[in-house]
Amino acid sequence: MSDYLLEVQGVCPVCEQAVTFTARDEWLRDHFLCGGCGSAPRERALMKILAELRPDWRLLDIHESSPGTAASRRLAAEAPGYRSSHYGPDVPLGTAHPQWGWRCEDLENQTFPDASFDIVVTQDVFEHLFAPNRAIAEVARTLKPGGFHICTVPIVNKAKASVRRARRNREGLVEHLLEPVYHANPIDPQGSLVTVDWGYDVADYLDKASGLSTTIWTLDDMAHGVRAEYIEVLVSRKGFSSQVVPDGMAPPWKGVRETIRRLLS
């Protein structure tokens, strides 16, 4: 066993308890855990930002794709409007798994109606998608105006360009462009293949594919157990129709008002 030991007293943004955060391995992303709920730094970063942006999150309609963390359990327990989904290729989309009960949804081709959710959550999902452009477009479709997608994704390439690790060919088979890498999957013991090593250009990629506006948040807050590599949180907002127009142009509502006035006169 490693001689490494890190212990910090603080308040966990996931369980909201005074706890001890402990790591016995230098790779804090997976090992700097909350003594209360077992959350990792990326979960605590996500919940801290969620609480700052929408302190009323418990009252909102939330969809989380591929849940499986302490943060997921907190959202499910305290937000009545929370809905979760996983993808299983042998389960019809939009239906419940016959044995485990979870709803089957393909993030790239969802069955939810337009404007269903105030918030969509994904935790370490977008590095495993073959068509992240379609996934974020679907997320945007299912968001209500003013809603947002909040996610964690390891930005391993940082300022360098994002790189494809694997893709689907025309026959739908997986083509490996780099040595295969797998991450843990809560419903698949074989794990999930990493398809993209993202860089900071992930924000531009998501915005161009969806029309959303993405901000990358980077936190370092030991009092809340938030310290590790690759724990950036991305927030992609769906805007309202802007009422700001260039000088000299009529506001977008002016023509509507004039039409109504003529009809009523």
Side-chain angles (χ1 to χ4, degrees):
M1 179 178 291
S2 170
D3 293 331
Y4 184 86
L5 176 63
L6 174 64
E7 291 186 339
V8 178
Q9 305 295 318
V11 176
C12 175
V14 176
C15 62
E16 295 187 334
Q17 301 296 314
V19 298
T20 301
F21 303 108
T22 304
R24 297 186 179 277
D25 189 292
E26 295 183 23
W27 184 243
L28 300 185
R29 191 176 198 270
D30 296 326
H31 297 279
F32 191 29
L33 304 180
C34 169
C37 64
S39 63
R42 62 182 172 86
E43 302 171 57
R44 299 192 286 269
L46 183 142
M47 290 300 295
K48 188 173 190 299
I49 291 170
L50 175 61
E52 290 178 3
L53 295 178
R54 291 304 302 262
D56 62 341
W57 60 264
R58 294 172 180 83
L59 306 177
L60 303 180
D61 293 316
I62 301 172
H63 171 221
E64 182 172 12
S65 175
S66 302
T69 68
S72 304
R73 293 188 289 274
R74 172 86 186 284
L75 293 170
E78 299 192 18
Y82 174 88
R83 301 179 75 177
S84 63
S85 67
H86 291 280
Y87 176 66
D90 299 326
V91 182
L93 296 179
T95 69
H97 189 283
Q99 180 178 2
W100 305 112
W102 44 260
R103 179 184 176 114
C104 180
E105 290 289 344
D106 180 352
L107 196 60
E108 301 171 7
N109 181 30
Q110 300 177 50
T111 67
F112 294 116
D114 295 354
S116 293
F117 303 107
D118 300 290
I119 299 170
V120 173
V121 180
T122 61
Q123 300 184 63
D124 282 21
V125 170
F126 267 74
E127 72 272 30
H128 301 295
L129 301 175
F130 285 101
N133 58 321
R134 290 204 291 267
I136 194 62
E138 277 289 88
V139 167
R141 180 185 65 78
T142 63
L143 280 173
K144 301 175 185 179
F148 59 83
H149 171 227
I150 183 168
C151 77
T152 59
V153 62
I155 303 180
V156 297
N157 278 16
K158 298 187 181 295
K160 298 179 181 178
S162 298
V163 174
R164 271 279 188 183
R165 299 191 64 91
R167 64 187 179 190
R168 287 186 293 235
N169 62 23
R170 292 182 178 180
E171 289 72 39
L173 302 176
V174 176
E175 180 182 354
H176 296 285
L177 307 176
L178 295 172
E179 187 71 21
V181 172
Y182 292 85
H183 292 168
N185 183 322
I187 66 168
D188 187 347
Q190 295 182 352
S192 295
L193 177 68
V194 177
T195 59
V196 183
D197 285 340
W198 290 108
Y200 291 130
D201 58 358
V202 61
D204 290 336
Y205 177 94
L206 296 176
D207 291 354
K208 289 176 181 177
S210 67
L212 302 178
S213 179
T214 302
T215 302
I216 299 176
W217 297 64
T218 302
L219 298 185
D220 185 75
D221 180 1
M222 285 295 270
H224 291 96
V226 181
R227 177 171 293 175
E229 273 276 36
Y230 313 143
I231 58 169
E232 290 89 354
V233 177
L234 281 66
V235 177
S236 302
R237 293 181 177 274
K238 183 173 185 176
F240 295 96
S241 296
S242 177
Q243 297 183 357
V244 179
V245 298
D247 287 348
M249 291 184 63
W253 63 86
K254 184 175 181 180
V256 176
R257 288 180 177 176
E258 290 177 348
T259 299
I260 295 173
R261 190 178 297 113
R262 284 197 302 269
L263 291 173
L264 295 177
S265 62

